């Protein structure tokens, strides 16, 4: 079956760095998305990786290893507003998104 | 710029009643989707539409129906609501079904009693 695994919850300190991991098992693979979702709000796009390597976008970076079925989202210089859930989603061979349950990130002062 | 508009924002519904969740986008996106989001689970695709006039079943289509009469509107209907359909429903759209970024509506919180 198809599966996405990511930690349920993580805690980090304001100003620090945190890495949120995601492993996936899909029938075929056509890329991986990261979305941010604040409580009670809609998910918003953060990044998309289809090739191996690191994509940097400001304080956020996303990494992909296709051979390992693994991705991570790296958040630097954490701010209180980064408290949110982070959703990992892989694109399968039918171009359907398979979603993880999300990682709730708690930022402490 | 509205993006995607969903209505209602929240609704409490008696079991057995019929309910339609509305979704309208103004971005002229071809692809539209309906997801449900439940605590501890990932977003699950209910139905999708690649383009006006076509629809397809997602992961959890039972008890739901959709229509796509035009590019902008993609309503989701629960013919006879059951308590297990209590959830937050998100409508989304994208330029291209193949790996396009999804734009989400603000969600409709539905409680079926």
């Amino acid at each position: 079956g198809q599966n996405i695994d990511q930690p349920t919850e993580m805690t980090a300190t304001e100003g620090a760095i945190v890495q949120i991991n995601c492993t996936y098992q899909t029938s075929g693979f056509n890329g991986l998305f990261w979305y941010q979702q604040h409580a009670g709000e809609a998910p918003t796009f953060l990044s998309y990786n289809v090739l191996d390597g690191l994509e940097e976008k400001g304080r956020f970076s996303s990494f992909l290893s296709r051979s390992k079925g693994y991705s991570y989202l790296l958040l630097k210089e954490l701010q209180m507003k980064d408290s949110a859930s982070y959703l990992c989603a892989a694109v399968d061979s039918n171009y359907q998104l398979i979603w993880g349950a999300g990682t709730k990130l708690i930022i402490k002062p | 710029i509205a993006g995607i508009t969903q209505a209602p924002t929240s609704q409490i519904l008696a079991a057995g009643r019929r309910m339609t969740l509305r979704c309208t986008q103004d971005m002229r996106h071809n692809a539209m989707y309906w997801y449900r989001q439940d605590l501890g689970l990932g977003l699950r695709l209910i139905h999708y539409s690649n383009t006006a006039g076509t629809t397809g079943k997602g992961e959890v289509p039972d008890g739901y129906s959709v229509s796509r009469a035009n590019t902008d509107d993609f309503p989701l209907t629960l013919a006879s609501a059951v308590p297990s359909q209590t959830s937050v429903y998100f409508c989304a759209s994208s330029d291209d079904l193949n790996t396009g970024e999804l734009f989400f509506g603000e969600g409709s919180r539905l409680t079926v009693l």
Side-chain angles (χ1 to χ4, degrees), chain B residues 12-32:
Chain B
I12 299 173
L13 186 67
R17 297 296 296 269
R18 180 183 179 89
M19 178 72 194
T20 295
L21 304 180
R22 300 183 298 279
C23 176
T24 300
Q25 55 112 350
D26 62 3
M27 297 176 283
R28 308 302 293 172
H29 285 168
N30 283 320
M32 296 188 74

Side-chain angles (χ1 to χ4, degrees), chain B residues 49-88:
Chain B
S49 169
N50 293 351
T51 188
T54 69
T55 62
K57 293 182 179 180
E59 180 186 356
V60 288
D62 294 344
Y64 306 95
S65 64
V66 291
S67 61
R68 187 87 184 277
N70 56 62
T71 297
D72 299 342
D73 301 302
F74 191 44
L76 176 74
T77 296
L78 290 68
S80 179
V82 295
S84 62
Q85 291 177 312
T86 293
S87 187
V88 179

Side-chain angles (χ1 to χ4, degrees), chain A residues 30 33 35 37 40-43 45 48 87 91 95-97 99-101, chain B residues 35 37 40-43 45 48 90 97-102 104-106:
Chain A
N30 286 294
F33 286 92
Y35 280 77
Q37 185 177 24
E41 298 183 8
F45 171 81
Y48 172 69
L87 313 181
V91 186
Y95 291 94
Q96 297 287 352
L97 283 170
W99 294 85
Chain B
Y35 286 95
Q37 186 174 43
L41 299 177
L43 287 162
L45 182 65
Y48 66 93
F90 285 101
L97 182 65
N98 298 336
T99 75
E101 172 190 342
L102 289 182
F104 286 85
E106 290 303 308

Side-chain angles (χ1 to χ4, degrees), chain A residues 48-97:
Chain A
Y48 172 69
N49 294 66
V50 66
L51 300 175
D52 285 356
L54 187 68
E55 297 265 351
E56 297 187 70
K57 192 184 295 185
R59 293 189 299 114
F60 292 10
S61 302
S62 56
F63 172 83
L64 176 68
S65 169
R66 295 177 65 129
S67 62
K68 296 181 179 178
Y70 168 70
S71 174
Y72 67 73
L73 182 69
L74 190 71
L75 291 75
K76 302 176 185 176
E77 301 169 16
L78 285 169
Q79 302 176 9
M80 297 304 292
K81 68 178 182 179
D82 297 329
S83 292
S85 289
Y86 291 86
L87 313 181
C88 172
V91 186
D92 71 9
S93 58
N94 294 319
Y95 291 94
Q96 297 287 352
L97 283 170

